[in-house]
Amino acid sequence: MRFGPYCLFRRISLGGCFWLVTLGWSTLVVVLSVLFLFGQQGGIREQARSQVRGIYETDMTYRHWVARVGGLYAPASDRIPPNPYLGVADRDIVTTDGRRLTLLNSAYLMRLIHQDDAHQDGRSVRLVSLRPVHPDNAPDAWERQALERFGRGVEEAQEFVTDRGRVWARLARPLVAEPACLKCHGNEGRQIGEVLGAVSVSLPVPGIWECAAQDCWLALGGYGVLWLIGMAGVLLVSARLSTHLAERDRYAVELDRAKKAAEAASRAKSEFLAHVSHEIRTPLTAVLGYAELLLGPPLPRDEHLDCVEAIHRNGQLLLRLVNDILNLSRIEAGNLVLEIAECSPWEAVQDAVSVMRPRAVEKGIDVHIDPTFPLPRTIRSDPARLRQILVNLVGNAVKFTERGEVRIEMIWTSDPGARPILRMTVRDTGIGMTSEQLGRLFRPFGQADPSTARRFGGTGLGLAICKRLAAALGGDIEVESHPGAGSAFAFWLEAVPVDGVLLDAPPEDSRPLEPPAAWSGKSLHGRVLLAEDGPDNQRLVRTLLQHQGLEVEVAENGRVACRKVWLAAAEGKPYDLVLMDMHMPDLDGYQATRQLRDEGWSGPIVALTASAMDGDRARCLEAGCDDYLAKPIGKAAFLQSVGRWLSVQRGAARSRV
């Protein structure tokens, strides 16, 4: 379990955190302000203590001086009347010039001074006693308590007292009888050292606002500014934090989405590999099983031929599966390269019909083209991809139709303001599909029904590839189907007629293309060097070429091939053609081809390689090869290519002669 600010923050919303921080910051500023005010109040009280002590010290200085000199004489007047409470013989005297003077002892003098000094701040200094001579010297309650304590030996009383709604700083100290005091108090029976009374000082303590209003307001203003700065920081941090949290939440959502996508991709990959494994193992089982039968005891001729045909048929299935997987991987990786050129949609449809017609004839199905003219004579597209889509759609229609027909409809529309569209719809009278089955189409290894694959065969890759190819060509594939009533696959793409030329009828020279004729007999002549490191492939290719009448020599790697090329040339029997495997030990085909070209050999070199990915053909041609053939090789196409390059070589030899 996690603790700390992060955990707390996760439990409280951003708004809650904002108000929590605001409350904390405001509380801190208020506490600092209150502490400041208390500090100011404490300073004011300390200042009041110092003031009352100073007043007392000043008063006592005057009293002691007056007492030591025995008092002062001042002219008697209404303002300074004789002291009725002073019982001494020489209280009143008359000067030689006739002026009447009266004696002012220390107590009477300080009373007159404090009466005349009308302090605006309300301070009070007076003499108090438990046995007052003058009624005004009677103590109040606080002074009485102080006098009682002085009688017990306490030397000072100082407090802050609240009276009449104000706070007063009060100080009282005992007034002890000294020799000078006995002149006035001796007749009262007082003795030296006796507490006569006390000098009491009272000073109102002003409020904090009265004493330091400007300073307080400035300080509080400063605290207010500090609060505003803090709140600005809180708002800024909150805004940044809000943005950060929003980004974090977005990243979390994206991460979760990416995680789910990765998990889905992983599941899809696992399912894909499982399907691939199943689709490879099924024909591979047949290939290996029939091969084992052929390796066993001799079979009757019919069974022997059945085994060979089964091996060939399942080998073709494996080859188509590998090609489909490569096509799909190129498309999914974004590496599909389109070769846009002028092509004829009519010829593309005829080619598809020509390829699938033998299978349709075997099943007794009629396949025909149903055009709606006018149609573009030529358009700009990728003819190979266009043909691949049509062959797949027509092939599926033939495969899933037991009886009836397959019809390829063609229609071209060119409405004003809209893109010109060529739509080719392949309709069949086959088994059809339900809406649920339609939802599984166009997925890799997706069949309308698992039983469909077992009954009719196929991997489901074809439609997935065609859907993506159609999108790459700027079009799409749509489907309509009903169980038992057949299906209609509509392939459409943007089709602008080249030079605006349209067909109003089928071309006179149009005809379905027939499959290439099989090669038979010894029809080729010449010397061929086969650079190949695989013994089985050496035997296969050499046998094919020797059956056609060619003289074949084998080199197990590129270094041996280069040596044999120049040795044969030196003997006057140069090779007419070099078939070069590109992946061999010691010196591979790329290096060997470059070496032969660098050393001046100009004869034809045809790459014969299992590298069939995008870019492999260009890489072979860039190394110096004249042509490129991908393994596994089809007999007819292979022999046609060999024959073409032998003819080219013979023509070159005649031109040199």
Side-chain angles (χ1 to χ4, degrees):
M1 186 175 180
R2 298 180 61 186
F3 295 94
Y6 177 78
C7 183
L8 178 62
F9 178 77
R10 289 298 298 251
R11 295 168 181 264
I12 304 176
S13 66
L14 179 60
C17 287
F18 171 79
W19 290 114
L20 183 63
V21 173
T22 300
L23 177 61
W25 175 246
S26 301
T27 302
L28 176 61
V29 173
V30 170
V31 169
L32 292 176
S33 302
V34 171
L35 290 176
F36 168 77
L37 294 177
F38 273 109
Q40 288 291 94
Q41 185 67 50
I44 292 172
R45 292 201 171 195
E46 186 61 33
Q47 184 179 9
R49 287 192 184 98
S50 299
Q51 287 181 355
V52 295
R53 195 176 300 278
I55 294 170
Y56 170 82
E57 296 293 343
T58 301
D59 185 84
M60 291 304 296
T61 299
Y62 293 156
R63 285 180 186 273
H64 287 155
W65 186 84
V66 172
R68 282 197 302 271
V69 299
L72 296 176
Y73 283 95
S77 65
D78 294 337
R79 183 178 178 187
I80 305 176
N83 185 357
Y85 302 99
L86 182 60
V88 294
D90 56 351
R91 186 191 73 176
D92 299 307
I93 62 174
V94 178
T95 65
T96 57
D97 58 357
R99 288 185 301 168
R100 186 180 174 206
L101 301 178
T102 185
L103 179 65
L104 305 179
N105 65 351
S106 59
Y108 189 45
L109 175 64
M110 298 312 297
R111 182 190 304 278
L112 293 175
I113 291 174
H114 290 303
Q115 286 178 351
D116 289 343
D117 185 12
H119 296 288
Q120 295 181 357
D121 57 4
R123 73 179 63 176
S124 170
V125 182
R126 69 195 193 103
L127 180 66
V128 295
S129 176
L130 293 175
R131 293 189 296 168
V133 176
H134 193 295
D136 290 344
N137 292 340
D140 60 19
W142 182 84
E143 292 167 334
R144 180 177 296 280
Q145 292 177 356
L147 289 169
E148 291 174 352
R149 290 199 298 270
F150 296 157
R152 296 191 294 269
V154 178
E155 296 181 352
E156 180 180 282
Q158 184 173 8
E159 291 184 68
F160 288 93
V161 179
T162 302
D163 184 27
R164 300 185 300 277
R166 298 192 69 178
V167 178
W168 298 78
R170 305 200 68 173
L171 173 67
R173 282 187 177 181
L175 186 61
V176 181
E178 298 177 356
C181 299
L182 296 181
K183 178 181 178 179
C184 298
H185 296 282
N187 59 355
E188 298 176 6
R190 302 286 189 176
Q191 298 178 1
I192 296 175
E194 181 183 353
V195 177
L196 300 178
V199 175
S200 174
V201 181
S202 299
L203 179 68
V205 180
I208 187 171
W209 306 115
E210 301 173 79
C211 183
Q214 184 175 1
D215 293 341
C216 291
W217 282 116
L218 287 175
L220 292 179
Y223 282 113
V225 171
L226 180 63
W227 181 83
L228 290 175
I229 293 174
M231 288 307 302
V234 171
L235 290 173
L236 179 61
V237 171
S238 297
R240 289 178 177 266
L241 187 59
S242 177
T243 302
H244 171 74
L245 291 178
E247 292 179 355
R248 188 195 66 178
D249 292 342
R250 180 170 58 83
Y251 291 149
V253 171
E254 292 178 356
L255 183 62
D256 183 65
R257 186 182 298 117
K259 178 184 176 183
K260 291 180 179 178
E263 292 173 349
S266 179
R267 289 193 300 271
K269 178 182 177 182
S270 299
E271 294 174 1
F272 184 85
L273 292 176
H275 282 296
V276 169
S277 175
H278 175 269
E279 296 301 330
I280 289 178
R281 289 174 182 273
T282 300
L284 194 59
T285 299
V287 170
L288 295 176
Y290 283 112
E292 288 179 356
L293 288 177
L294 292 176
L295 291 173
L299 299 173
R301 178 176 176 79
D302 291 345
E303 293 183 13
H304 183 91
L305 290 176
D306 288 342
C307 290
V308 173
E309 289 176 355
I311 291 173
H312 183 268
R313 182 170 59 253
N314 284 277
Q316 291 293 331
L317 289 175
L318 286 172
L319 178 59
R320 284 198 297 272
L321 175 61
V322 171
N323 288 335
D324 285 345
I325 292 175
L326 289 178
N327 281 330
L328 185 62
S329 68
R330 293 188 189 104
I331 295 171
E332 296 293 342
N335 295 328
L336 179 66
V337 178
L338 298 178
E339 298 181 2
I340 304 299
E342 293 185 12
C343 59
S344 169
W346 180 265
E347 291 181 2
V349 173
Q350 283 189 309
D351 287 350
V353 172
S354 175
V355 170
M356 301 310 305
R357 179 160 286 161
R359 178 70 186 278
V361 170
E362 290 179 5
K363 299 180 68 174
I365 300 171
D366 183 25
V367 180
H368 59 90
I369 305 173
D370 185 9
T372 299
F373 294 99
L375 295 172
R377 183 180 184 87
T378 57
I379 62 174
R380 291 192 59 79
S381 187
D382 186 327
R385 303 301 183 184
L386 180 61
R387 182 179 182 275
Q388 181 179 353
I389 295 173
L390 291 171
V391 168
N392 188 280
L393 295 181
V394 175
N396 281 344
V398 171
K399 179 169 65 174
F400 294 109
T401 300
E402 296 292 337
R403 58 181 178 275
E405 66 174 4
V406 173
R407 186 170 73 254
I408 300 94
E409 300 173 354
M410 299 179 66
I411 186 170
W412 181 75
T413 57
S414 179
D415 297 328
R419 296 186 303 166
I421 298 297
L422 176 62
R423 181 180 294 269
M424 293 164 281
T425 304
V426 180
R427 297 186 183 274
D428 63 60
T429 56
I431 59 175
M433 292 171 286
T434 65
S435 58
E436 181 181 356
Q437 292 170 338
L438 288 174
R440 290 193 290 266
L441 288 182
F442 304 115
R443 300 177 187 174
F445 295 100
Q447 292 278 7
D449 193 316
S451 62
T452 302
R454 294 191 294 269
R455 178 181 175 188
F456 295 97
T459 63
L461 282 175
L463 284 177
I465 294 172
C466 289
K467 181 78 169 179
R468 290 159 173 78
L469 289 177
L473 294 176
D476 199 2
I477 296 178
E478 301 166 350
V479 59
E480 292 182 3
S481 185
H482 300 281
S487 304
F489 285 81
F491 163 47
W492 62 267
L493 74 164
E494 185 176 354
V496 179
V498 175
D499 298 330
V501 179
L502 299 175
L503 291 175
D504 293 325
E508 295 180 359
D509 57 348
S510 64
R511 60 181 181 83
L513 299 178
E514 299 296 335
W519 286 73
S520 61
K522 297 183 178 182
S523 56
L524 299 177
H525 304 281
R527 301 185 73 236
V528 177
L529 175 64
L530 172 63
E532 169 66 58
D533 63 318
D536 291 336
N537 286 336
Q538 290 176 355
R539 187 180 303 108
L540 173 62
V541 175
R542 183 169 55 192
T543 301
L544 284 175
L545 296 179
Q546 287 176 342
H547 284 178
Q548 299 303 317
L550 295 173
E551 181 182 347
V552 182
E553 292 189 14
V554 176
E556 61 271 19
N557 58 55
R559 196 174 303 282
V560 175
C562 292
R563 186 169 62 247
K564 286 193 172 188
V565 165
W566 292 118
L567 181 61
E571 294 175 351
K573 298 185 295 184
Y575 296 111
D576 299 301
L577 175 64
V578 175
L579 297 175
M580 185 72 74
D581 183 21
M582 307 311 289
H583 295 279
M584 294 182 291
D586 193 6
L587 191 70
D588 65 23
Y590 299 102
Q591 296 170 313
T593 300
R594 290 191 181 96
Q595 182 173 318
L596 288 174
R597 295 309 188 197
D598 291 341
E599 294 174 355
W601 199 75
S602 60
I605 301 176
V606 175
L608 186 62
T609 177
S611 298
M613 299 297 290
D614 283 342
D616 287 326
R617 177 185 179 87
R619 187 182 175 195
C620 293
L621 298 181
E622 188 265 336
C625 296
D626 296 286
D627 202 353
Y628 165 90
L629 295 175
K631 297 177 183 177
I633 53 176
K635 178 181 177 182
F638 173 64
L639 294 178
Q640 281 181 340
S641 178
V642 170
R644 183 172 69 254
W645 284 108
L646 289 174
S647 299
V648 170
Q649 178 65 359
R650 285 195 296 271
R654 284 195 298 269
S655 64
R656 288 195 296 270
V657 174

